Amino acid sequence: MVDWSRLPSLSALRAFCAFVQTGSVTDAGVALNVSHAAISQQLRSLETHLGTPLFDRKSRALELTDVGRDLARALDDGFGRIAAGVEALTNADAQRPLNVGCTPTFASAWLMPRLGSFQMEHPGIDMIVTPSPVLTDPSPGGIDVAIRYGSGGWAGLESERLLDSPLVVIGAPSLFKGKPPTEPRDLIDYPWLEELGTTESSAWLTQHGLAHAKVLSRTHVPGNLMLDGARNGQGVAVSTRIAVAEDLAAGRLIAVFEDRLEAGYNLVTKPGVQRAPLKAFLRWIRREAAKT
């Protein structure tokens, strides 16, 4: 149960959050349609209520104290959830395209070949697929759902296992010339391909005691080009089994080692009310995953 009597006024909290986001009392006033003097008054009132300084006033610019930064993070999360809930309930955000974040490899190997069926089922939903190896958190007005590889457990986010998929070290039959490696150390004699922005190959070598080993060569390329290069015999690569399942079945690639048997792809979302396009996408992708 919330003790409402202990909370500062909503106006003061809004003023503080607006100031943090805009960086000035003037711009915060414009955002909230009040004067900059009113913002300054609300900030002082908030500090008085909390009994602790939120700003370091030693310099001309107002800098957040450690307490101020903690409050800013809490309010950003709280107001973000409120905004998302209001948008979902009022349908105010319904026309914004659904934004799905995932790695380039997952997008090209698994998601895009299946996405046509979602578009056929939901012709009124526009989509943006944001392929990036960098982890980007779902946020109000930004990415709606991130499809992440790992074991789950990202703080402040909800995650649900979509697909189990261990890591595999792969190469074309032509690269191995009929003699696939039998020990991890054998792989240092081959060229390596690595997806830009990731460290899977380095992590794999480290895990197997080869952190300081000098491989024949390293080439960093986008994820889809990494797999193209592996198929063409240009080097070994680390991928998820899901991403290369068809290549393995067809014999275009060979999996010489397999690790992280507990890992897989996860649906990652912000807690709170989900807007209708996201709910539709999650229903669809769960069905597609069940067929895999």
mmCIF file of all heavy atoms in Angstrom, residues 191-221:
data_model
loop_
_atom_site.group_PDB
_atom_site.id
_atom_site.type_symbol
_atom_site.label_atom_id
_atom_site.label_comp_id
_atom_site.label_asym_id
_atom_site.label_seq_id
_atom_site.Cartn_x
_atom_site.Cartn_y
_atom_site.Cartn_z
ATOM 1 N N PRO A 191 41.109 -19.242 -40.614
ATOM 2 C CA PRO A 191 40.613 -17.855 -40.521
ATOM 3 C C PRO A 191 39.280 -17.833 -39.778
ATOM 4 O O PRO A 191 38.507 -18.796 -39.844
ATOM 5 C CB PRO A 191 40.453 -17.441 -41.989
ATOM 6 C CG PRO A 191 40.280 -18.720 -42.736
ATOM 7 C CD PRO A 191 41.068 -19.760 -41.991
ATOM 8 N N TRP A 192 39.016 -16.730 -39.071
ATOM 9 C CA TRP A 192 37.782 -16.578 -38.303
ATOM 10 C C TRP A 192 36.949 -15.430 -38.858
ATOM 11 O O TRP A 192 37.488 -14.385 -39.234
ATOM 12 C CB TRP A 192 38.097 -16.318 -36.819
ATOM 13 C CG TRP A 192 38.437 -17.554 -36.052
ATOM 14 C CD1 TRP A 192 39.561 -18.310 -36.187
ATOM 15 C CD2 TRP A 192 37.654 -18.186 -35.043
ATOM 16 N NE1 TRP A 192 39.525 -19.376 -35.324
ATOM 17 C CE2 TRP A 192 38.369 -19.323 -34.597
ATOM 18 C CE3 TRP A 192 36.423 -17.900 -34.459
ATOM 19 C CZ2 TRP A 192 37.892 -20.174 -33.611
ATOM 20 C CZ3 TRP A 192 35.943 -18.742 -33.464
ATOM 21 C CH2 TRP A 192 36.665 -19.867 -33.046
ATOM 22 N N LEU A 193 35.644 -15.629 -38.870
ATOM 23 C CA LEU A 193 34.688 -14.593 -39.243
ATOM 24 C C LEU A 193 33.892 -14.232 -37.992
ATOM 25 O O LEU A 193 33.439 -15.125 -37.267
ATOM 26 C CB LEU A 193 33.737 -15.091 -40.337
ATOM 27 C CG LEU A 193 34.395 -15.604 -41.627
ATOM 28 C CD1 LEU A 193 33.356 -16.286 -42.516
ATOM 29 C CD2 LEU A 193 35.057 -14.466 -42.381
ATOM 30 N N GLU A 194 33.697 -12.935 -37.745
ATOM 31 C CA GLU A 194 32.977 -12.514 -36.544
ATOM 32 C C GLU A 194 31.995 -11.405 -36.890
ATOM 33 O O GLU A 194 32.327 -10.495 -37.666
ATOM 34 C CB GLU A 194 33.948 -12.021 -35.476
ATOM 35 C CG GLU A 194 33.255 -11.707 -34.149
ATOM 36 C CD GLU A 194 34.269 -11.535 -33.018
ATOM 37 O OE1 GLU A 194 35.294 -10.878 -33.218
ATOM 38 O OE2 GLU A 194 34.010 -12.067 -31.923
ATOM 39 N N GLU A 195 30.790 -11.490 -36.307
ATOM 40 C CA GLU A 195 29.782 -10.465 -36.546
ATOM 41 C C GLU A 195 30.198 -9.154 -35.899
ATOM 42 O O GLU A 195 30.619 -9.120 -34.744
ATOM 43 C CB GLU A 195 28.433 -10.912 -35.985
ATOM 44 C CG GLU A 195 27.305 -9.933 -36.284
ATOM 45 C CD GLU A 195 25.941 -10.457 -35.854
ATOM 46 O OE1 GLU A 195 25.879 -11.540 -35.245
ATOM 47 O OE2 GLU A 195 24.945 -9.777 -36.147
ATOM 48 N N LEU A 196 30.089 -8.067 -36.655
ATOM 49 C CA LEU A 196 30.432 -6.745 -36.144
ATOM 50 C C LEU A 196 29.673 -6.444 -34.857
ATOM 51 O O LEU A 196 28.466 -6.696 -34.761
ATOM 52 C CB LEU A 196 30.088 -5.672 -37.180
ATOM 53 C CG LEU A 196 31.099 -5.427 -38.304
ATOM 54 C CD1 LEU A 196 30.482 -4.522 -39.357
ATOM 55 C CD2 LEU A 196 32.379 -4.813 -37.762
ATOM 56 N N GLY A 197 30.371 -5.895 -33.867
ATOM 57 C CA GLY A 197 29.725 -5.492 -32.626
ATOM 58 C C GLY A 197 29.522 -6.604 -31.626
ATOM 59 O O GLY A 197 28.930 -6.386 -30.573
ATOM 60 N N THR A 198 29.993 -7.824 -31.935
ATOM 61 C CA THR A 198 29.835 -8.944 -31.007
ATOM 62 C C THR A 198 31.206 -9.477 -30.600
ATOM 63 O O THR A 198 32.229 -9.149 -31.197
ATOM 64 C CB THR A 198 29.018 -10.084 -31.638
ATOM 65 O OG1 THR A 198 29.793 -10.683 -32.695
ATOM 66 C CG2 THR A 198 27.706 -9.573 -32.199
ATOM 67 N N THR A 199 31.205 -10.331 -29.584
ATOM 68 C CA THR A 199 32.461 -10.916 -29.097
ATOM 69 C C THR A 199 32.341 -12.431 -28.924
ATOM 70 O O THR A 199 33.095 -13.032 -28.163
ATOM 71 C CB THR A 199 32.851 -10.290 -27.744
ATOM 72 O OG1 THR A 199 31.781 -10.501 -26.800
ATOM 73 C CG2 THR A 199 33.112 -8.800 -27.882
ATOM 74 N N GLU A 200 31.411 -13.054 -29.639
ATOM 75 C CA GLU A 200 31.185 -14.484 -29.446
ATOM 76 C C GLU A 200 32.430 -15.325 -29.721
ATOM 77 O O GLU A 200 32.744 -16.248 -28.975
ATOM 78 C CB GLU A 200 30.026 -14.978 -30.332
ATOM 79 C CG GLU A 200 28.667 -14.820 -29.716
ATOM 80 C CD GLU A 200 28.064 -13.470 -30.042
ATOM 81 O OE1 GLU A 200 28.776 -12.632 -30.644
ATOM 82 O OE2 GLU A 200 26.892 -13.244 -29.685
ATOM 83 N N SER A 201 33.149 -15.003 -30.803
ATOM 84 C CA SER A 201 34.309 -15.827 -31.119
ATOM 85 C C SER A 201 35.403 -15.666 -30.075
ATOM 86 O O SER A 201 36.014 -16.638 -29.639
ATOM 87 C CB SER A 201 34.837 -15.489 -32.515
ATOM 88 O OG SER A 201 35.310 -14.158 -32.573
ATOM 89 N N SER A 202 35.654 -14.424 -29.649
ATOM 90 C CA SER A 202 36.665 -14.197 -28.607
ATOM 91 C C SER A 202 36.265 -14.885 -27.303
ATOM 92 O O SER A 202 37.103 -15.487 -26.619
ATOM 93 C CB SER A 202 36.855 -12.699 -28.369
ATOM 94 O OG SER A 202 37.324 -12.043 -29.534
ATOM 95 N N ALA A 203 34.967 -14.794 -26.960
ATOM 96 C CA ALA A 203 34.489 -15.433 -25.729
ATOM 97 C C ALA A 203 34.629 -16.948 -25.823
ATOM 98 O O ALA A 203 34.993 -17.611 -24.837
ATOM 99 C CB ALA A 203 33.033 -15.043 -25.475
ATOM 100 N N TRP A 204 34.365 -17.507 -27.007
ATOM 101 C CA TRP A 204 34.471 -18.954 -27.176
ATOM 102 C C TRP A 204 35.918 -19.398 -27.024
ATOM 103 O O TRP A 204 36.217 -20.380 -26.330
ATOM 104 C CB TRP A 204 33.929 -19.372 -28.539
ATOM 105 C CG TRP A 204 33.769 -20.861 -28.671
ATOM 106 C CD1 TRP A 204 32.680 -21.607 -28.350
ATOM 107 C CD2 TRP A 204 34.769 -21.772 -29.134
ATOM 108 N NE1 TRP A 204 32.930 -22.937 -28.589
ATOM 109 C CE2 TRP A 204 34.199 -23.069 -29.072
ATOM 110 C CE3 TRP A 204 36.072 -21.627 -29.600
ATOM 111 C CZ2 TRP A 204 34.904 -24.211 -29.457
ATOM 112 C CZ3 TRP A 204 36.779 -22.772 -29.976
ATOM 113 C CH2 TRP A 204 36.196 -24.046 -29.909
ATOM 114 N N LEU A 205 36.840 -18.682 -27.647
ATOM 115 C CA LEU A 205 38.255 -19.028 -27.540
ATOM 116 C C LEU A 205 38.739 -18.917 -26.095
ATOM 117 O O LEU A 205 39.486 -19.769 -25.610
ATOM 118 C CB LEU A 205 39.078 -18.117 -28.450
ATOM 119 C CG LEU A 205 38.915 -18.369 -29.955
ATOM 120 C CD1 LEU A 205 39.495 -17.222 -30.762
ATOM 121 C CD2 LEU A 205 39.586 -19.678 -30.356
ATOM 122 N N THR A 206 38.289 -17.850 -25.402
ATOM 123 C CA THR A 206 38.668 -17.674 -23.996
ATOM 124 C C THR A 206 38.145 -18.830 -23.145
ATOM 125 O O THR A 206 38.852 -19.363 -22.282
ATOM 126 C CB THR A 206 38.123 -16.342 -23.463
ATOM 127 O OG1 THR A 206 38.706 -15.266 -24.219
ATOM 128 C CG2 THR A 206 38.450 -16.158 -21.991
ATOM 129 N N GLN A 207 36.886 -19.203 -23.388
ATOM 130 C CA GLN A 207 36.266 -20.293 -22.632
ATOM 131 C C GLN A 207 37.055 -21.592 -22.771
ATOM 132 O O GLN A 207 37.097 -22.412 -21.852
ATOM 133 C CB GLN A 207 34.827 -20.495 -23.116
ATOM 134 C CG GLN A 207 34.086 -21.638 -22.456
ATOM 135 C CD GLN A 207 32.711 -21.860 -23.087
ATOM 136 O OE1 GLN A 207 32.206 -21.014 -23.815
ATOM 137 N NE2 GLN A 207 32.116 -23.007 -22.816
ATOM 138 N N HIS A 208 37.704 -21.763 -23.921
ATOM 139 C CA HIS A 208 38.433 -23.008 -24.174
ATOM 140 C C HIS A 208 39.941 -22.839 -24.001
ATOM 141 O O HIS A 208 40.732 -23.607 -24.575
ATOM 142 C CB HIS A 208 38.094 -23.528 -25.570
ATOM 143 C CG HIS A 208 36.672 -23.997 -25.694
ATOM 144 N ND1 HIS A 208 36.271 -25.268 -25.352
ATOM 145 C CD2 HIS A 208 35.538 -23.346 -26.067
ATOM 146 C CE1 HIS A 208 34.964 -25.390 -25.533
ATOM 147 N NE2 HIS A 208 34.491 -24.238 -25.967
ATOM 148 N N GLY A 209 40.322 -21.819 -23.212
ATOM 149 C CA GLY A 209 41.725 -21.653 -22.865
ATOM 150 C C GLY A 209 42.597 -21.114 -23.964
ATOM 151 O O GLY A 209 43.821 -21.281 -23.931
ATOM 152 N N LEU A 210 41.995 -20.436 -24.942
ATOM 153 C CA LEU A 210 42.753 -19.950 -26.099
ATOM 154 C C LEU A 210 42.685 -18.433 -26.218
ATOM 155 O O LEU A 210 42.766 -17.883 -27.320
ATOM 156 C CB LEU A 210 42.206 -20.596 -27.381
ATOM 157 C CG LEU A 210 42.273 -22.135 -27.416
ATOM 158 C CD1 LEU A 210 41.477 -22.675 -28.608
ATOM 159 C CD2 LEU A 210 43.726 -22.603 -27.490
ATOM 160 N N ALA A 211 42.530 -17.745 -25.078
ATOM 161 C CA ALA A 211 42.372 -16.287 -25.103
ATOM 162 C C ALA A 211 43.549 -15.593 -25.766
ATOM 163 O O ALA A 211 43.383 -14.571 -26.439
ATOM 164 C CB ALA A 211 42.187 -15.762 -23.677
ATOM 165 N N HIS A 212 44.739 -16.121 -25.577
ATOM 166 C CA HIS A 212 45.940 -15.471 -26.103
ATOM 167 C C HIS A 212 46.465 -16.140 -27.365
ATOM 168 O O HIS A 212 47.551 -15.799 -27.844
ATOM 169 C CB HIS A 212 47.032 -15.443 -25.035
ATOM 170 C CG HIS A 212 46.590 -14.781 -23.764
ATOM 171 N ND1 HIS A 212 46.284 -13.440 -23.692
ATOM 172 C CD2 HIS A 212 46.372 -15.291 -22.510
ATOM 173 C CE1 HIS A 212 45.919 -13.135 -22.458
ATOM 174 N NE2 HIS A 212 45.952 -14.236 -21.731
ATOM 175 N N ALA A 213 45.701 -17.093 -27.877
ATOM 176 C CA ALA A 213 46.133 -17.773 -29.093
ATOM 177 C C ALA A 213 45.944 -16.864 -30.307
ATOM 178 O O ALA A 213 44.968 -16.118 -30.397
ATOM 179 C CB ALA A 213 45.349 -19.068 -29.278
ATOM 180 N N LYS A 214 46.866 -16.915 -31.238
ATOM 181 C CA LYS A 214 46.796 -16.129 -32.466
ATOM 182 C C LYS A 214 46.174 -16.984 -33.565
ATOM 183 O O LYS A 214 46.772 -17.942 -34.053
ATOM 184 C CB LYS A 214 48.205 -15.680 -32.870
ATOM 185 C CG LYS A 214 48.267 -14.914 -34.175
ATOM 186 C CD LYS A 214 47.554 -13.579 -34.080
ATOM 187 C CE LYS A 214 47.741 -12.793 -35.393
ATOM 188 N NZ LYS A 214 46.943 -11.542 -35.389
ATOM 189 N N VAL A 215 44.929 -16.628 -33.939
ATOM 190 C CA VAL A 215 44.288 -17.368 -35.025
ATOM 191 C C VAL A 215 44.862 -16.894 -36.357
ATOM 192 O O VAL A 215 45.537 -15.857 -36.430
ATOM 193 C CB VAL A 215 42.752 -17.191 -35.002
ATOM 194 C CG1 VAL A 215 42.187 -17.683 -33.685
ATOM 195 C CG2 VAL A 215 42.359 -15.741 -35.250
ATOM 196 N N LEU A 216 44.602 -17.651 -37.404
ATOM 197 C CA LEU A 216 45.184 -17.343 -38.710
ATOM 198 C C LEU A 216 44.836 -15.935 -39.158
ATOM 199 O O LEU A 216 45.687 -15.170 -39.633
ATOM 200 C CB LEU A 216 44.711 -18.373 -39.744
ATOM 201 C CG LEU A 216 45.386 -18.290 -41.116
ATOM 202 C CD1 LEU A 216 46.882 -18.552 -40.987
ATOM 203 C CD2 LEU A 216 44.753 -19.304 -42.073
ATOM 204 N N SER A 217 43.562 -15.533 -38.992
ATOM 205 C CA SER A 217 43.120 -14.167 -39.315
ATOM 206 C C SER A 217 41.727 -13.956 -38.743
ATOM 207 O O SER A 217 41.023 -14.919 -38.432
ATOM 208 C CB SER A 217 43.108 -13.926 -40.831
ATOM 209 O OG SER A 217 42.127 -14.742 -41.463
ATOM 210 N N ARG A 218 41.336 -12.687 -38.598
ATOM 211 C CA ARG A 218 39.987 -12.337 -38.155
ATOM 212 C C ARG A 218 39.396 -11.336 -39.139
ATOM 213 O O ARG A 218 40.052 -10.360 -39.512
ATOM 214 C CB ARG A 218 40.007 -11.694 -36.766
ATOM 215 C CG ARG A 218 40.331 -12.625 -35.610
ATOM 216 C CD ARG A 218 40.328 -11.836 -34.306
ATOM 217 N NE ARG A 218 40.778 -12.615 -33.182
ATOM 218 C CZ ARG A 218 39.971 -13.303 -32.375
ATOM 219 N NH1 ARG A 218 38.663 -13.284 -32.592
ATOM 220 N NH2 ARG A 218 40.456 -13.984 -31.359
ATOM 221 N N THR A 219 38.145 -11.557 -39.512
ATOM 222 C CA THR A 219 37.429 -10.627 -40.384
ATOM 223 C C THR A 219 36.100 -10.295 -39.722
ATOM 224 O O THR A 219 35.320 -11.205 -39.401
ATOM 225 C CB THR A 219 37.172 -11.230 -41.780
ATOM 226 O OG1 THR A 219 38.422 -11.607 -42.362
ATOM 227 C CG2 THR A 219 36.471 -10.218 -42.687
ATOM 228 N N HIS A 220 35.839 -9.004 -39.483
ATOM 229 C CA HIS A 220 34.611 -8.556 -38.830
ATOM 230 C C HIS A 220 33.646 -8.021 -39.897
ATOM 231 O O HIS A 220 33.994 -7.088 -40.637
ATOM 232 C CB HIS A 220 34.919 -7.468 -37.807
ATOM 233 C CG HIS A 220 35.825 -7.927 -36.710
ATOM 234 N ND1 HIS A 220 35.358 -8.364 -35.485
ATOM 235 C CD2 HIS A 220 37.181 -8.051 -36.643
ATOM 236 C CE1 HIS A 220 36.377 -8.722 -34.728
ATOM 237 N NE2 HIS A 220 37.494 -8.537 -35.404
ATOM 238 N N VAL A 221 32.467 -8.603 -39.968
ATOM 239 C CA VAL A 221 31.482 -8.242 -40.991
ATOM 240 C C VAL A 221 30.081 -8.270 -40.373
ATOM 241 O O VAL A 221 29.880 -8.848 -39.304
ATOM 242 C CB VAL A 221 31.523 -9.219 -42.193
ATOM 243 C CG1 VAL A 221 32.816 -9.083 -42.969
ATOM 244 C CG2 VAL A 221 31.335 -10.659 -41.723
#
